[in-house]
Amino acid sequence: MNIGIACYPTYGGSGVVASELGKSLAERGHKIHFISYAMPFRLDGFSENIYYHEVEISSYPLFDFPLYTPALASKIVEVAKFEKLDIIHAHYAIPHAISAYLAKQILGDTNIKIVTTLHGTDITLVGLEPSYLPVMKFSIEQSDAVTAVSRFLKEKTLTSYQIKKPISVIPNFVDCSKYIRVTDEHVRRQFAPNNEKILIHISNFRPLKRVGDVIRIFNIVRQKVKSKLLLVGDGPDRSNAEQLVRELGIVEDVKFLGKQAEIIPLLSIADLFLIPSQSESFGLSALEAMACEVPVVASSVGGLPEVVIHGTTGFISEIGDVERMAKYSVELLMNEAKHRMFADASRKRAVEQFEEQGIVSQYEDLYEIILGNQADPSIGAAESR
Ligand code: GMT
């Protein structure tokens, strides 16, 4: 198949999923055409089946804002025509699904199909704004297939946008042969020279990630367990977070590592992953941690409870309940046998429920169904998965 993938190139979950899906499909022999305004950050190295098409956005004194949506649509038209695309897969609905719809209209009589994958804030936050909502609803309904990364997100879409269309839940995935714990003692000693426990948080530091809570949880934990905190990523809340660390007087124990392309070595030295988000449709970073045998302490929002099993692979608490999250963290960090059990269960869950190959096959099957090459097993069933 020839598949166009429109996605964000930035440090964020939807771009990661799009890139990993594209790489995996390319390994299966499909021709993958990434279409974005910059090279997606996980697209490293050369692969014979992967192509990248950059969207050029021209400026003009009349335009106060860059006109990305039509520029992306034009690029999709060009790629679809010359590369004979069968599918356009839009990751994160705004504006990718809208541009894909526009492109399909421009292409006219074509069998090209649009798949839209909903990731999170495209549905739960941005898409609900009155300035986007009608276009969002329209572009979801006009897609040939719609997928959501969790049951939570599917339900949220159906209720908030009153969508009648079936939505398939295809969860996010992790390559468990790559995401595997390979602890380098030298790296561990760099961050924890006195054998302290290591807590880690990875995100794009937006307010909804509640990085302040991560720091407050750690501040309680460190009073009971000798520990260090690694903060990976960057974004609008980074300065506030650094300020809070200075105010609490814990600069020595907290390391801001900024954006990191290689996170497996860091996850491999971590004992606990913290994700106390305000909203999280799935929590891909938590799954990547679990694959590396790192139990997770999370908030009980969105799709997180579909990933983290309370009392088995980690713990879940109310948003903002830093005291309880700290208590759970200490409970795990102080009990080696329990920690080992949670670490093993985390890895097991990642392998059994979210391994890349099985999930990528679900996307492949969906493509075959909408192209008419395969019967839809859900026809006659009560609802889509
Ligand atoms: O930053 C992004 O690229 C998307 C981001 C978002 O805010 O929508 O992440 C979402 O998609 C990820 C991949 O599917 C999920 O793992 C995240 O949970 C989800 N983020 C939120 O729902 C806040």
Side-chain angles (χ1 to χ4, degrees), residues 63-286:
F63 306 157
D64 270 347
F65 309 102
L67 299 183
Y68 186 60
T69 308
L72 173 60
S74 298
K75 184 55 83 177
I76 295 175
V77 170
E78 181 191 311
V79 177
K81 257 191 203 157
F82 296 112
E83 305 295 345
K84 313 243 171 318
L85 295 185
D86 302 296
I87 300 274
I88 308 165
H89 194 158
H91 283 267
Y92 200 93
I94 305 174
H96 304 111
I98 300 136
S99 299
Y101 169 78
L102 200 54
K104 187 169 171 171
Q105 296 309 303
I106 295 165
L107 287 161
D109 186 20
T110 161
N111 290 325
I112 197 163
K113 303 288 182 196
I114 301 174
V115 177
T116 297
T117 291
L118 309 171
H119 280 274
T121 50
D122 46 352
I123 290 300
T124 57
L125 202 70
V126 192
L128 289 173
E129 286 177 22
S131 47
Y132 296 124
L133 197 138
V135 179
M136 270 293 284
K137 180 170 158 61
F138 180 80
S139 59
I140 293 170
E141 283 172 340
Q142 294 300 317
S143 300
D144 296 288
V146 181
T147 78
V149 298
S150 61
R151 291 194 299 279
F152 156 79
L153 194 60
K154 170 184 169 173
E155 292 311 320
K156 181 83 188 160
T157 310
L158 293 176
T159 52
S160 301
Y161 297 81
Q162 277 128 42
I163 303 274
K164 301 280 181 294
K165 213 179 170 60
I167 296 180
S168 309
V169 176
I170 302 187
N172 288 333
F173 56 86
V174 61
D175 179 351
C176 292
S177 63
K178 198 170 134 213
Y179 278 75
I180 196 155
R181 196 171 181 89
V182 277
T183 311
D184 180 334
E185 279 308 322
H186 176 70
V187 178
R188 197 182 158 95
R189 273 196 301 275
Q190 267 180 38
F191 295 110
N194 299 310
N195 212 19
E196 294 92 340
K197 299 290 182 195
I198 297 180
L199 292 83
I200 191 167
H201 168 79
I202 304 176
S203 78
N204 44 20
F205 283 56
R206 283 175 297 162
L208 61 78
K209 299 291 174 181
R210 296 182 73 99
V211 184
D213 281 6
V214 173
I215 294 164
R216 287 186 193 93
I217 295 166
F218 173 70
N219 192 37
I220 302 172
V221 171
R222 65 182 281 285
Q223 290 163 31
K224 308 221 162 69
V225 186
K226 278 199 318 181
S227 47
K228 300 280 184 186
L229 173 64
L230 304 185
L231 291 169
V232 183
D234 212 328
D237 267 0
R238 163 108 180 237
S239 299
N240 288 344
E242 294 204 25
Q243 175 69 20
L244 179 60
V245 166
R246 283 193 292 271
E247 277 166 21
L248 293 170
I250 54 175
V251 174
E252 287 304 307
D253 290 334
V254 182
K255 287 267 173 298
F256 286 86
L257 300 179
K259 291 180 188 174
Q260 296 286 329
E262 277 297 316
I263 55 166
I264 299 168
L266 295 169
L267 289 172
S268 291
I269 58 165
D271 299 296
L272 198 64
F273 188 88
L274 298 176
I275 179 165
S277 307
Q278 181 89 35
S279 154
E280 203 68 70
S281 70
F282 184 89
L284 181 62
S285 54

